[in-house]
Amino acid sequence: MSNQVIVLESSSRFGGWLWSTRRSDGAVFEHGPRGIRPAGAVGRNTLNMVEELGLEGEVLPVTYSHIASKNRYLYVNGQLHKMPSRISELLRTVPPFSRPLLLSVASELLVTKSKEDDESIHSFVSRRLGKELADIAVDSLCRGVFAGDCRKLSVRSCFPPFYNAEQRRGSLILGMLLGSGPTPVISPGSLAQRSIKESWAQWSLRRGVESLPESLAEYLQQSGKVQLHREAAVKQIHPSASGWKVHLEDGVVSADHIISALPAKALSSVLPSSCQPLIQQLQDVSSVTVAVINLEYEGSILPVMGFGHLVPSSEDRGLLGVVYDSVPFPQHNRPDGQTTRLTVMMGGAWFQEVFGPPEAVTDEHLIARATEAVQCHLGVTTAPIWSRVALQRDCIPQYYLGHFSKVESMRHFIRENNLPLSLTGSSYDGVSVNDVIFSGRTAELVKIQT
């Protein structure tokens, strides 16, 4: 049996949500993820890949001492508030909070451990750090990271280090200080070592993050070991004597193992009916739609410098936050003349409620809503000189309460039935770029071992 790898991509380009526009004047705009974090095993794993692809010269690092790392804002009660980033700011009351955060942190050590096997992020943080932090800071954080509602999202699946810290150390703070259990061992290559030495908080690439999948596709093509097919949507898969028959629009591919990076719902619709319990569990993983609005303004228009600001759901349900892209990555501005690039993120778990069905919403309406927010939150009175709308449908899976046991039982079904199938992608083990790349790597290792 040959060890040929075949990659089937339904769209006309590789990279999925990693999608960058490079304008002819040199400006770069991201329509999906932007800064990638170098921290932890999964962060090192991605940097090792960047290095293997020969992209280290393209990396744009942002260090912890950079203003974009130190200054992050919340928009609460009609005002921007800088999030505390220094110990001294934890000692005093900093609006929008009504008491010093150090009090919440100190009393957290005394809170007893939960016996539940899962809990919503909001309930977990309310219980351990107080309702105010959950309502304002954590609500905003979950909107920024998952475009989701912290009252429904699972702490165990969305923030495993928090859950493990409580389970193993009885406290979030102790878990953070002492470690909260084993993490995968990934030895850092020279780029990852550099990221530690220079204390990077995040990084991007000179021509946008889409350079990563582009280089990867190129690398695989050159290797001669991989067949890459674009516009090859999978219609149905059926078990066969040697593994699977994969039915495409215009033909059939035979495979002895499938590594699926499809969204859970998409996989559920192509599996054979013999996989019924698995099909149902896959259908239960829902995703949210995010409108990503890139705006470019003439001149330097920001009233504050920083990474951007998040908006809690109590302030404005439809508007998740604004990223001040020109602050962390000025290299992506057009080279001539001062401009400011912003990205406004809208919708998420609140999309339907605020904007109606995604298929019916117009770009004009979304741009109007985004520019109005920039005017209201940042006091910008001029109109943008350039804008672009990307309506990212079902782009972020939502790990609701009990997600971990759903995923466990999916993998149990696969093992019990000896199915030559691996589940990877953002529907199962983490939604970040790093998580998804790592999940592909671990699936590949499991396949090699079996």
Side-chain angles (χ1 to χ4, degrees):
M1 207 176 275
S2 79
N3 60 355
Q4 175 79 48
V5 175
I6 299 171
V7 177
L8 302 173
E9 162 60 54
S10 66
S11 78
S12 59
R13 48 175 280 281
F14 292 111
W17 306 115
L18 295 182
W19 179 24
S20 315
T21 287
R22 300 158 182 143
R23 229 172 37 196
S24 56
D25 62 2
V28 176
F29 297 86
E30 300 289 7
H31 309 299
R34 49 219 59 232
I36 298 174
R37 298 168 64 85
V42 294
R44 290 195 290 279
N45 180 59
T46 304
L47 285 174
N48 289 351
M49 180 194 264
V50 167
E51 188 178 337
E52 267 179 78
L53 294 170
L55 287 172
E56 58 271 55
E58 299 290 298
V59 173
L60 305 174
V62 179
T63 63
Y64 277 106
S65 58
H66 191 286
I67 195 149
S69 309
K70 290 198 291 206
N71 294 1
R72 288 163 188 266
Y73 296 87
L74 290 177
Y75 183 76
V76 184
N77 300 329
Q79 276 184 305
L80 285 179
H81 300 278
K82 185 170 116 46
M83 285 296 287
S85 61
R86 294 199 304 272
I87 296 288
S88 62
E89 294 167 321
L90 297 176
L91 296 171
R92 58 175 198 270
T93 300
V94 179
F97 306 106
S98 62
R99 65 179 204 157
L101 294 182
L102 201 65
L103 287 179
S104 308
V105 169
S107 49
E108 193 273 337
L109 293 164
L110 308 172
V111 177
T112 55
K113 169 166 117 177
S114 163
K115 296 194 170 44
E116 300 296 317
D117 65 1
D118 203 357
E119 189 174 4
S120 79
I121 299 169
H122 186 272
S123 155
F124 178 91
V125 175
S126 297
R127 192 170 52 75
R128 300 210 63 88
L129 290 162
K131 189 173 178 312
E132 186 177 61
L133 261 177
D135 287 348
I136 301 174
V138 172
D139 176 281
S140 303
L141 177 69
C142 291
R143 283 159 58 91
V145 177
F146 304 99
D149 182 347
C150 65
R151 289 156 189 79
K152 293 182 187 166
L153 294 171
S154 146
V155 73
R156 183 167 181 170
S157 297
C158 295
F159 294 113
F162 291 7
Y163 175 81
N164 293 335
E166 179 179 65
Q167 292 305 310
R168 297 217 166 91
R169 304 285 185 187
S171 151
L172 252 182
I173 307 309
L174 288 177
M176 295 294 144
L177 293 172
L178 306 170
S180 56
T183 53
V185 178
I186 297 286
S187 55
S190 63
L191 185 63
Q193 283 170 11
R194 198 186 123 201
S195 78
I196 297 164
K197 195 170 119 242
E198 297 174 6
S199 69
W200 298 1
Q202 52 166 331
W203 56 271
S204 180
L205 295 165
R206 197 165 300 285
R207 304 185 66 243
V209 291
E210 196 179 346
S211 299
L212 184 56
E214 286 169 345
S215 300
L216 190 52
E218 176 89 352
Y219 177 90
L220 295 175
Q221 197 82 60
Q222 300 287 313
S223 77
K225 293 180 189 159
V226 180
Q227 281 182 34
L228 298 171
H229 299 275
R230 292 179 173 84
E231 290 179 338
V234 173
K235 297 293 170 203
Q236 213 61 52
I237 61 181
H238 293 294
S240 72
S242 63
W244 300 99
K245 292 260 180 275
V246 181
H247 295 261
L248 308 175
E249 191 78 63
D250 53 359
V252 181
V253 175
S254 292
D256 57 291
H257 194 99
I258 288 174
I259 296 179
S260 169
L262 293 176
K265 274 200 171 71
L267 177 60
S268 77
S269 68
V270 301
L271 282 171
S273 53
S274 55
C275 294
Q276 194 28 63
L278 178 58
I279 291 172
Q280 191 47 60
Q281 286 153 349
L282 289 164
Q283 276 169 351
D284 286 347
V285 182
S286 30
S287 304
V288 296
T289 293
V290 179
V292 179
I293 321 297
N294 302 98
L295 301 171
E296 182 184 37
Y297 289 86
E298 195 72 70
S300 175
I301 48 135
L302 288 169
V304 292
M305 291 299 266
F307 181 73
H309 68 262
L310 291 171
V311 183
S313 56
S314 54
E315 187 77 23
D316 182 335
R317 290 172 87 70
L319 205 125
L320 307 172
V322 182
V323 183
Y324 314 158
D325 299 292
S326 292
V327 181
F329 303 114
Q331 304 90 335
H332 288 162
N333 288 350
R334 64 162 203 239
D336 53 325
Q338 174 70 54
T339 54
T340 305
R341 289 169 310 105
L342 304 175
T343 304
V344 182
M345 312 277 190
M346 302 193 298
W350 298 266
F351 197 98
Q352 203 84 8
E353 174 196 320
V354 175
F355 301 103
E359 50 282 0
V361 70
T362 65
D363 285 3
E364 291 70 35
H365 177 60
L366 293 170
I367 288 176
R369 188 75 174 68
T371 49
E372 176 198 326
V374 170
Q375 183 174 351
C376 175
H377 300 184
L378 296 168
V380 176
T381 50
T382 57
I385 53 173
W386 187 89
S387 60
R388 176 68 61 91
V389 174
L391 189 58
Q392 309 290 29
R393 286 220 194 156
D394 294 324
C395 60
I396 307 180
Q398 302 292 289
Y399 299 168
Y400 295 140
L401 230 57
H403 175 82
F404 79 98
S405 57
K406 251 181 249 174
V407 173
E408 236 166 56
S409 71
M410 290 178 204
R411 293 196 167 122
H412 178 73
F413 178 88
I414 290 170
R415 275 196 309 275
E416 286 296 287
N417 292 277
N418 287 317
L419 295 179
L421 172 66
S422 304
L423 304 178
T424 75
S426 58
S427 296
Y428 315 102
D429 311 300
V431 302
S432 76
V433 174
N434 288 330
D435 289 331
V436 172
I437 291 173
F438 190 76
S439 117
R441 174 187 168 135
T442 42
E444 187 46 46
L445 288 174
V446 169
K447 180 189 174 312
I448 291 164
Q449 282 157 6
T450 53

